[in-house]
């Protein structure tokens, strides 16, 4: 998948025969990789000029490796070497939070294009989900707050990782950590793009659950999504979360029964009062699925 099927020209379109749950994960890989690398180089120069941060600046060898990632975000997936990814993580994990977003943006793009982020292990043993949660501050959002741009990039990286078989396996293996780390994060999110990114993670988890999981997995995702849906007025997030209900209800009877209790009222209201036609239509279709025997 190379586009977001819920917005723009690829917005949600109902099936004539009723609700058909999305089967492809949602990926956000739009970017100018060369421009992102240039911004990272600019920040690196600023760090190097300040005596207090000079020790954090990436050296010429690491910057040369990171420059290889300029092809990310292009029309076709770009290769990512382990050496380049390792250099990128050294920046993403150690720079001041206010300077990390270009590195996290490249991580987000790399996760969509390559299996390397999913298979790479840091010297301390950390894998993809742990690294993203730590470097972006995403998993600290609910408790202590975080830089919301960084957290958004972290959420997009987790969602994008589901685009590769290796990434999907890594995210699914760590699904309980992801759910625990994101629990309540939506309540702390004031940035609408962050809320949308969080909802995308839940939708991709639901799609993975339909492929790889069981009732218990579905119920865990559904429970979180229902609480998120009840407190967001962001139509892009709502559209994704309504589809979480649809994906899980279509796959698991227990989730269908639970969805009627957890979100039926909210979905009915969105079907009437949703801010966008896409939200209204999706809510009507999923509502019909929930009421069908």
């Amino acid at each position: 998948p190379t586009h977001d099927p819920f917005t723009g020209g690829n917005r949600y379109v109902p099936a004539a025969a009723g609700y058909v749950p999305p089967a492809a994960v949602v990926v956000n890989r739009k970017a100018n990789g060369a421009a992102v690398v240039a911004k990272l180089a600019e920040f690196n120069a600023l760090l190097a000029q300040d005596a207090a941060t000079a020790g954090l600046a990436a050296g010429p060898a690491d910057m040369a490796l990171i420059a290889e990632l300029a092809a990310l975000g292009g029309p076709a997936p770009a290769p990512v070497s382990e050496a380049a990814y390792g250099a990128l993580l050294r920046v993403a994990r150690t720079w001041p939070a206010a300077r990390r977003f270009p590195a996290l943006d490249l991580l987000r793009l790399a996760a969509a294009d390559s299996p390397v982020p999913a298979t790479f292990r840091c010297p301390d043993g950390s894998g993809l989900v742990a690294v993203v949660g730590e470097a972006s501050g995403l998993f600290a959002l609910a408790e202590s707050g975080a830089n919301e741009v960084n957290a958004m990039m972290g959420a997009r990286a987790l969602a994008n990782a589901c685009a590769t078989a290796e990434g999907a396996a890594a995210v699914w293996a760590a699904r309980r950590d992801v759910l625990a780390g994101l629990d309540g994060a939506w309540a702390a999110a004031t940035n609408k793009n962050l809320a949308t990114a969080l909802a995308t993670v839940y939708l991709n988890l639901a799609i993975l659950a339909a492929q790889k999981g069981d009732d218990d997995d579905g119920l865990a995702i559904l429970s979180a999504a229902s609480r998120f849906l009840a407190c967001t007025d962001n139509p892009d997030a709502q559209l994704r979360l309504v589809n979480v209900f649809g994906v899980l209800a279509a796959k698991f009877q227990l989730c269908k029964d639970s969805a009627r209790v957890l979100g039926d009222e909210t979905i009915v209201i969105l079907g009437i009062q949703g801010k966008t036609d896409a939200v209204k239509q999706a809510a009507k279709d999923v509502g019909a699925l929930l009421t069908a025997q």
Side-chain angles (χ1 to χ4, degrees):
T2 58
H3 61 264
D4 182 339
F6 296 112
T7 57
N10 300 303
R11 63 191 180 279
Y12 175 79
V13 178
Y19 181 76
V20 177
V25 296
V26 177
V27 178
N28 182 330
R29 61 182 305 278
K30 294 179 181 178
N32 181 333
V36 180
V37 169
K39 177 58 71 172
L40 189 150
E42 175 189 330
F43 283 178
N44 195 60
L46 292 173
L47 290 175
Q49 291 167 10
D50 187 337
T53 57
L56 299 175
D62 273 1
M63 288 305 298
L65 288 167
I66 291 171
E68 296 176 5
L69 303 176
L72 290 169
V80 177
S81 71
E82 288 201 353
Y85 186 69
L88 178 65
L89 288 191
R90 285 190 283 277
V91 169
R93 299 183 81 188
T94 64
W95 277 15
R99 301 291 190 192
R100 288 188 187 186
F101 73 84
L104 293 169
D105 204 7
L106 290 173
L107 196 165
R108 183 256 307 185
L109 296 172
D113 280 8
S114 169
V116 168
T119 58
F120 188 90
R121 287 294 177 271
C122 296
D124 63 5
S126 297
L128 174 67
V129 169
V131 164
V132 168
E134 172 217 329
S136 68
L138 177 61
F139 293 164
L141 191 61
E143 292 185 0
S144 58
N147 180 307
E148 291 203 2
V149 173
N150 290 354
M152 175 187 69
M153 294 299 182
R156 287 178 175 176
L158 290 181
N160 280 5
C162 299
T164 69
E166 296 85 353
V171 171
W172 186 247
R175 60 194 179 280
R176 293 179 180 83
D177 294 333
V178 174
L179 289 172
L182 296 186
D183 191 44
W186 56 81
T190 61
N191 182 308
K192 68 177 184 179
N193 292 325
L194 171 56
T196 301
L198 290 170
T200 305
V201 176
Y202 284 110
L203 177 56
N204 285 0
L205 282 174
I207 291 169
L208 293 182
Q211 298 169 356
K212 304 169 179 285
D214 57 22
D215 285 333
D216 289 340
D217 294 315
L219 288 173
I221 298 164
L222 185 67
S223 174
S226 68
R227 287 180 284 124
F228 189 173
L229 183 61
C231 73
T232 184
D233 61 358
N234 177 333
D236 290 330
Q238 288 173 337
L239 183 56
R240 287 155 175 76
L241 294 167
V242 167
N243 276 282
V244 169
F245 275 74
V247 169
L248 296 173
K251 178 65 177 181
F252 304 111
Q253 182 62 45
L254 189 57
C255 287
K256 185 176 181 180
D257 295 340
S258 297
R260 290 169 177 155
V261 176
L262 292 172
D264 188 54
E265 181 178 352
T266 301
I267 289 173
V268 169
I269 291 171
L270 288 176
I272 300 169
Q273 300 178 0
K275 290 183 179 180
T276 67
D277 290 342
V279 170
K280 288 180 182 177
Q281 189 61 60
K284 288 176 182 176
D285 289 348
V286 172
L289 170 69
L290 297 182
T291 57
Q293 296 301 319

